[in-house]
Amino acid sequence: VQRYTLNYHECMQQLNVLPPSIEPHASGHIIEQQKYISKILENGYAYESKGSIYFDVEKYNKEHPYGILSGRNIDDLQSNTRNLDGQDEKRGALDFALWKKAKPEHIMKWNSEWSEGFPGWHLECSAMSTKYLGNQFDIHGGGNDLKFPHHENEIAQNVSSCGCQPARYWLHTNMLLIKRKKMSKSDG
């Protein structure tokens, strides 16, 4: 990770892009993520199952529109869900992990009141943005591949924890393409 981070910083410097004033890392904010999960649990939008904590999408959708950013409908989403590890632990197919109990061979894991495990993918962004930018901030950006489910889940987490959407405006960019294919590390 450090190698890619340093390379990114060098590229940004060559482009005369000013560095950010803060550049948080998810692994440095485990306590904040655990507190964020506790607040969502306290507000009734998450549940524990076998040491993992899941966000209850169906319950959330009864009180708040899930899919508001991407325009997706929860009924259509349920018919298109895929079978992922841990599905038998979840109440609903759309529920997503806030905290996953780690298997013994998992490299990164931390102690929590629920289990030795790690935060869910969407949680880190909610916890860190709230810490540094407050419950709501002006602009949230990212690639258009993050609109669903990542940014939808960030919205659901924020509303469930803080009572408001995290961003007033969402800015999604297209992917950088090489030979008509999305540029990625896996392709070198």
Side-chain angles (χ1 to χ4, degrees), residues 2-188:
Q2 187 67 19
R3 185 177 99 209
Y4 291 113
T5 301
L6 291 173
N7 181 259
Y8 171 77
H9 289 156
E10 289 169 7
C11 290
M12 291 296 102
Q13 190 175 21
Q14 288 174 5
L15 293 169
N16 292 320
V17 175
L18 294 174
S21 56
I22 188 159
E23 205 169 14
H25 299 275
S27 59
H29 292 79
I30 299 300
I31 292 169
E32 290 87 349
Q33 292 176 74
Q34 291 175 346
K35 287 179 181 178
Y36 209 93
I37 293 168
S38 293
K39 185 71 173 168
I40 295 171
L41 279 164
E42 181 183 313
N43 290 340
Y45 292 101
Y47 58 91
E48 188 271 335
S49 178
K50 299 179 182 177
S52 292
I53 307 296
Y54 292 99
F55 188 90
D56 191 334
V57 173
E58 200 166 321
K59 178 173 183 183
Y60 174 83
N61 191 60
K62 288 178 183 173
E63 299 172 25
H64 310 280
Y66 181 79
I68 193 166
L69 181 65
S70 64
R72 297 194 182 200
N73 172 312
I74 194 168
D75 295 326
D76 294 339
L77 291 171
Q78 286 183 333
S79 65
N80 291 322
T81 56
R82 54 194 172 131
N83 193 13
L84 299 170
D85 183 38
Q87 286 292 97
D88 60 324
E89 298 177 0
K90 298 170 16 176
R91 292 180 187 165
L94 295 177
D95 296 352
F96 58 91
L98 298 173
W99 184 264
K100 282 295 287 178
K101 182 178 180 178
K103 294 179 180 174
E105 66 273 11
H106 201 278
I107 296 171
M108 296 183 77
K109 51 190 168 195
W110 295 268
N111 289 323
S112 77
E113 62 185 277
W114 314 291
S115 66
E116 186 176 58
F118 54 94
W121 174 48
H122 317 294
L123 188 72
E124 61 194 43
C125 297
S126 295
M128 291 188 301
S129 65
T130 300
K131 178 176 181 170
Y132 294 106
L133 301 172
N135 291 344
Q136 192 173 60
F137 47 94
D138 288 332
I139 300 170
H140 191 317
N144 61 12
D145 59 332
L146 296 177
K147 188 183 288 187
F148 184 86
H150 186 63
H151 289 157
E152 287 293 3
N153 291 348
E154 279 189 68
I155 290 170
Q157 290 171 160
N158 230 70
V159 170
S160 299
S161 175
C162 308
C164 62
Q165 287 198 29
R168 291 180 183 89
Y169 302 97
W170 294 84
L171 179 65
H172 292 100
T173 60
N174 205 343
M175 303 295 105
L176 182 58
L177 304 177
I178 296 177
K179 296 181 184 175
R180 298 184 185 160
K181 188 176 175 193
K182 177 182 154 189
M183 183 174 127
S184 64
K185 284 190 290 186
S186 61
D187 289 332

